[in-house]
Amino acid sequence: MVVALRRLPSPRLTGLGSGLFASAVMLTLGLLDALLLDGSPVVYGLLFLPVSALTALWVRAADLVVAPIAVPIAFAVGVIPIAGGSGGFGGQAMAVVTALAVHAGWLYGGTLVAGVIASVRKVRDMGRRHHRPAARTAAGVGEGPGGRPRTAGRRPVA
């Protein structure tokens, strides 16, 4: 399983890019679901979970906080084609709000998946940063002649 996961591409999306990625994929999946399966909410919800995971995996480390925010927005964008509203803008808006309320379990599940993945990635990144300076000091980096620490801006007196 780990070998298969390592073969997947590992792009690094910005916060905006990850939101656009998730929204575009969910809108495409919503349109395909509406065309092929008459808007099956279970299929849409099941497809939302891996999109949430990929969004959290592919966002840059600096933008990890965006993943749990972008995926619910993407869910709402993609639910528009499968909501099935009629009667103009008002009817469509009410159908989207109703679909979001009825399928909140999928929405919460995908948000939880993205939040857990982003949190684990953040903790691992913080752990790497914490251990990096200790490894540099142990390797002797940052020491001047004779093992004395280097001082910023001043040259050691010989």
Side-chain angles (χ1 to χ4, degrees), residues 108-148:
Y108 294 152
T111 305
L112 180 67
V113 166
V116 167
I117 291 173
S119 297
V120 168
R121 282 188 59 204
K122 185 64 175 179
V123 167
R124 288 182 68 197
D125 187 46
M126 288 170 41
R128 282 190 207 116
R129 287 185 188 175
H130 178 69
H131 291 296
R132 196 175 301 146
R136 289 183 61 164
T137 305
V141 176
E143 293 182 0
R148 293 179 298 208

Side-chain angles (χ1 to χ4, degrees), residues 34-86:
L35 288 174
L36 301 175
L37 303 169
D38 280 340
S40 171
V42 173
V43 172
Y44 180 77
L46 285 172
L47 292 172
F48 175 62
L49 298 177
V51 171
S52 298
L54 288 175
T55 301
L57 286 171
W58 288 350
V59 70
R60 295 185 315 173
D63 295 328
L64 280 171
V65 71
V66 173
I69 297 168
V71 293
I73 295 169
F75 186 89
V77 167
V79 85
I80 293 170
I82 67 168
S86 61

Side-chain angles (χ1 to χ4, degrees), residues 85-93:
S86 61
F89 179 76
Q92 184 67 33

Side-chain angles (χ1 to χ4, degrees), residues 7 33 66 103:
R7 283 190 210 142
D33 187 15
V66 173
H103 309 300

